[in-house]
Amino acid sequence: MLAPGSTIGILGGGQLGRMMAVAALQLGYRVVGFAPEGDNVAADACTDFITAAWDDTAALARFAQGCDVVTWEFENVPLGTVAALPQHLIACPPRALEVAQDRLREKAFAADLGGSPAPHARVESAADLSAAIAEVGTPGILKTARDGYDGKGQWRVRSVIEAGGLPFPGVTCIYEGFVMYETEFSVILVRGADGQVKFWDSTANLHEGGMLARSVLPAGALVEAQVPAARELARKVADALGYVGVLTLEFFATREGPVFNEMAPRVHNSGHWTIEGAATSQFENHIRAICGLPLGGTKTRFEAIEMRNIVGEEALEAHRILAEPGEPHLHLYGKREAREGRKMGHVTRVGHALK
């Protein structure tokens, strides 16, 4: 167990790091963050924060010297950055990043463990895209194999004719056939270094413009029926990676069963409801796991829960939400600029407490 007063290092400076840092401070730890120049809102909650390029070896050495354990808050931290740190500090095997950073690799990884990803094909050129469309069909989605999130680096392909007018982005991509689904849902688990695994209840996730808009509990009968199979895959993924901390797998709930979409080796937007809605939040349990502490309970505390993202200029008047009915719990991330499509915060509403 990591003793109180020890220092947790967090790679990344966004809102997930901010909420992880708050949980760490609550447990008596110090926190040092590391990220390149930017709107690093996690810095507000850190004991110290180092702003430097991902490949700044001197800054990374200074960061490592002050840490007792290191984690990350998003899956696109460069592998070279992680490799430059003393490996005994890294709480979770870097292989989790290797898999999650490449959509082709993560789909193959899940399929090897018995998961069912959407039909897909590797695309390296415009000719490959034509071949992929002929194999997989339309409609579909062309995505960059690496990077891209919240709808970025993605292009819908509704027909062969539409594909002809799509300029190829010039990087390795994946073409995925469109999945007919009722809703999307997440399986979020926490795994300790001893292999113990705990799951939170799965929310139905509703998206707008490729970005999560709301997460809702109860998730509905279809999702609830498919959670056991989805959890089985998630546990296999966590065990195969030797994972430590919070891990998220996203699925499409279809009439044929759960279809694997993608994984995130980190705390997740669809788990923000756990701060007020679960016995232990995803953020606290992640900190517990990487520090070798006993994992907290994951039981849902209320009959109904809704988490909604606050996006763009809506944040400028977000305090008005506090006067609304439905037990609103407001979280603003402290970002300086309320740009269109930018996650600025979230609000969670809870119903009656479960007995």
Side-chain angles (χ1 to χ4, degrees), residues 170-351:
V171 296
T172 300
C173 292
I174 181 172
Y175 178 73
E176 298 179 17
F178 187 76
V179 175
M180 297 298 293
Y181 63 92
E182 299 293 328
T183 189
E184 296 182 40
F185 69 98
S186 299
V187 170
I188 306 179
L189 64 79
V190 60
R191 185 179 187 273
D194 61 355
Q196 181 186 23
V197 172
K198 294 189 176 186
F199 295 93
W200 284 272
D201 283 338
S202 289
T203 58
N205 298 329
L206 310 176
H207 291 71
E208 296 176 4
M211 184 171 69
L212 180 67
R214 294 190 298 138
S215 293
V216 179
L217 280 174
L222 181 64
V223 170
E224 290 169 3
Q226 297 187 13
V227 162
R231 284 185 176 183
E232 181 180 358
L233 176 63
R235 184 188 290 271
K236 287 179 179 178
V237 168
D239 288 342
L241 292 171
Y243 196 83
V244 177
V246 170
L247 173 71
T248 306
L249 271 68
E250 296 180 59
F251 294 87
F252 300 115
T254 77
R255 293 181 181 179
E256 290 73 39
V259 173
F260 170 76
N261 182 26
E262 60 187 21
M263 62 173 274
R266 55 168 171 83
V267 291
H268 196 262
N269 192 175
S270 64
H272 289 354
W273 66 271
T274 63
I275 298 174
E276 287 83 24
T280 310
S281 78
Q282 63 168 347
F283 301 101
E284 181 177 333
N285 255 343
H286 184 78
I287 298 301
R288 288 192 187 204
I290 67 171
C291 294
L293 303 177
L295 300 181
T298 53
K299 183 178 179 179
T300 299
R301 299 174 56 222
F302 299 94
E303 292 179 353
I305 299 172
E306 179 193 71
M307 187 285 302
R308 182 174 63 82
N309 278 326
I310 295 170
V311 180
E313 292 188 355
E314 182 186 2
L316 302 179
E317 298 185 349
H319 284 161
R320 294 185 179 184
I321 293 172
L322 298 175
E324 296 176 1
E327 300 291 339
H329 297 271
L330 178 64
H331 298 258
L332 293 176
Y333 304 149
K335 295 181 180 180
R336 291 191 294 267
E337 185 180 357
R339 297 194 301 267
E340 182 179 357
R342 192 183 196 195
K343 293 176 185 174
M344 301 296 295
H346 72 269
V347 58
T348 300
R349 291 180 170 87
V350 299

Side-chain angles (χ1 to χ4, degrees), residues 97-128:
L97 291 181
E98 292 178 10
V99 173
Q101 286 180 4
D102 189 307
R103 289 189 171 94
L104 288 158
R105 180 176 290 182
E106 74 175 353
K107 280 183 166 47
F109 188 79
D112 287 345
L113 293 172
S116 300
H120 62 279
R122 186 184 189 93
V123 176
E124 299 275 6
S125 65
D128 283 351

